[in-house]
Amino acid sequence: MAYETIIVEIEDEVALIRLNRPEALNALNSALVRELAGALTDADRNDKVRAIVLTGSEKAFAAGADIKEMSQKSFVDVYSQDMFGTEIKVIEGIRKPIIAAVSGYALGGGCELAMICDFIIAAENAKFGQPEINLGVIAGIGGTQRLTRFVGKSKAMDMHLTGRFMDAAEAERSGLVSRVVPTAKLIPEAMAAARKIAEKSQVSVKAAKEAVNRAYETTMAEGILFERRNFHALFSTEDQKEGMAAFLEKREPQFRDR
Ligand code: CO8
């Protein structure tokens, strides 16, 4: 499928989706957000895709929502249209794992988009920020909630109130990103992580993603019960028998997603 604002490639059962508006540092406009939601939905439905990597350019993952596109909008415009609301719900509902591979700026909606992904691998040159305060607004696709859960109240307040950027080392120290890699190695490392996931049983991958996400949505007791019931349920799969047999027979498992 031909897109104008993103590039999609499928390689070794991994969909690599690149944000591609270099003239605006991959700022999220309505076309990009619509195309991204569509491409992720397609990847989620495509049997040849088992994991997804979302990235931008070396200079910018995404420098936020498109300021030019939204600058003249009124309250009624953004409220009535629920700006980006439908597409973001689609992206939040993708069931296959999505790794954000962040190089350069991940600001405002760009930082929020990276946080919607399942984990973030950062290049050494990555810079994260929620600078919406400098524009007279605040984050709008989850930044006040997700950043606070990732890095705690003090640092989240600092980022949202001062608009300062966090470099890759601080982002790793604070738990915002899972690893930092040399900038030139970002895509190979993210693709290798995605391929690792692609080797697993997709049934347990989905169950793991759902269970970790429960940690954000429910109490500890309910989350642990959800996890335990899914642990029990996985004993109904052929892949559980295969995974454990392969361990005992000292061989690699051959998962069939059943
Ligand atoms: N929107 C539109 N265009 C942008 C954006 C943006 N967010 N960021 C950069 N650009 C454009 C610039 O206007 C410039 O275009 P041109 O060459 O035509 O003037 C081009 O990209 C290159 O940018 P710069 O010349 O500024 O590059 P620098 O290297 O000097 O600076 C920065 C890079 C620091 C990233 C700088 O561009 C910057 O500060 N950008 C804006 C960052 C920002 O404020 N982001 C937050 C936006 S608001 C937001 O994200 C809200 C999200 C919530 C959505 C809620 C929906 C419900």
Side-chain angles (χ1 to χ4, degrees), residues 21-25 27-28 59 63-68 70 82-85 105 107-110 112 131-132 135 137-141 165:
R21 295 190 66 220
E23 71 287 359
L25 301 184
L28 312 175
K59 179 159 183 196
D66 191 308
I67 300 168
K68 214 180 275 176
M70 69 183 160
D82 189 20
M83 181 181 162
F84 298 171
Y105 297 108
L107 304 177
E112 296 174 283
E132 292 95 336
L135 303 169
V137 292
I138 64 171
I141 49 175
F165 300 166

Side-chain angles (χ1 to χ4, degrees), residues 175-243:
L176 176 58
V177 310
S178 70
R179 23 180 151 157
V180 178
V181 300
T183 302
K185 292 207 172 139
L186 177 66
I187 300 302
E189 294 272 352
M191 290 297 282
R195 278 195 296 270
K196 237 323 139 232
I197 296 168
E199 289 168 5
K200 319 293 182 204
S201 166
Q202 293 301 290
V203 186
S204 45
V205 164
K206 282 201 172 72
K209 173 168 171 165
E210 281 178 2
V212 173
N213 280 332
R214 296 309 291 167
Y216 287 96
E217 306 293 346
T218 190
T219 62
M220 179 73 108
E222 287 299 321
I224 287 174
L225 181 59
F226 182 88
E227 174 195 88
R228 182 163 308 142
R229 283 292 172 269
N230 276 292
F231 173 78
H232 296 158
L234 288 166
F235 281 75
S236 65
T237 65
E238 290 174 17
D239 283 345
Q240 173 266 328
K241 300 288 174 293
E242 167 62 12

